[in-house]
Amino acid sequence: MDNFLTRDNLQKWAPLLVLFALVLFFSVANPNFLSMRNFARISILSTPSLMIGIGVTFIILMGSIDLSMEGAVAVCAVLFATMFTALGGSLAGWGWLAVVGALFVGALFGLINGLVHVGLKIPSFMASLSMGFVGIGLSLLITGGDRIRVEDPLFRSLLTYRLGGFPLMVYVALAALLIAGFIQGRTKIGRNFYAVGGGEDLAHASGLNVARVRVIGFAIAGVFYALGAMLAVAQIGIAETVTGRNLMFVSITSVVVGGTALWGGAGGVWNTLVGVLIVNVIGNGMVVMGLPSYVQDGVLGLLVIIAVYLSTDRRSLSFVK
């Protein structure tokens, strides 16, 4: 028992314990919280942010940051909708090619993002923030400010068709999570993300091509941003410039709250799943309790500060920049 109650174990399991405590708290505060319908609602809200969170987890594991996700989601969403309608507007026809096209656009966007960061030696936060604005601008150029409707019943069945009480998009997100877990734990590139984040100089010294690993990481993140974009479109049936709005803060908050270290080398996509659920349980619980949205934003901000404080090993830091 004493061995289990070590600082490392408490840090490792704290996010999961917090999630259980939150579910218990909101269930006691309002019995309506503990219902299948409400859990389905939480899962629907969680799916796009989980995809974005998985993408940015790979970047943070390398010790970098990606702030381009809102632009990436916007451009992937509007290009997906544009291609989908141009190909007949049905998944039963040639519309499925738009799914492949959107994933390619996401990978390309991430690849350019990584090349700008690595090739031009621009810090990742500045390179990705700039690319995010480029994505927003491109989506506005494509749509002219208009909305693109996607009304195909087969595509919308991602939201409308339920299996075991949960919509299909939840199972799609879980399948993507399993793929991300495989990339993280079973592939060479996944192990290289940890190596770069754990110590870039050591990774260089061991012969690892760090620049290539970073570019590949951004490209993989772009694929998950594209998945998040399509799930967001499936939720409301509309693609527009603001499709990715608020996803940056929610996804990064989820990654940090889940226990992935901002300086890289520790954490992973399973932590991000717990973090996404914590953030959405808090949001949903406050809605069920009738609290206003500005309280929710404030709580999420405080949550990030607390999570970073608890997960930081201050013994290894002489100062904080």
Side-chain angles (χ1 to χ4, degrees), residues 29-153:
N30 190 327
N32 291 330
F33 180 86
L34 200 62
S35 66
M36 180 62 80
R37 174 178 291 187
N38 195 44
F39 285 154
R41 191 178 296 123
I42 292 172
S43 66
I44 292 170
L45 289 173
S46 299
T47 47
S49 52
L50 176 61
M51 295 300 97
I52 310 303
I54 288 173
V56 79
T57 297
F58 290 134
I59 307 299
I60 292 177
L61 280 177
M62 296 188 292
S64 299
I65 191 68
D66 188 351
L67 305 178
S68 71
M69 58 278 283
E70 291 187 357
V73 167
V75 76
C76 288
V78 298
L79 278 175
F80 163 72
T82 302
M83 289 186 285
F84 193 75
T85 52
L87 290 167
S90 173
L91 278 181
W94 291 104
W96 63 271
L97 284 172
V99 176
V100 179
L103 295 176
F104 176 76
V105 169
L108 182 62
F109 190 92
L111 183 69
I112 296 172
N113 202 0
L115 288 173
V116 169
H117 162 47
V118 172
L120 302 181
K121 298 187 184 303
I122 297 175
S124 57
F125 82 94
M126 184 53 71
S128 60
L129 185 64
S130 304
M131 282 298 295
F133 285 117
V134 171
I136 295 288
L138 277 175
S139 65
L140 190 59
L141 183 67
I142 294 167
T143 63
D146 294 332
R147 296 175 167 185
I148 306 173
R149 294 190 176 278
V150 179
E151 299 175 333
D152 175 37

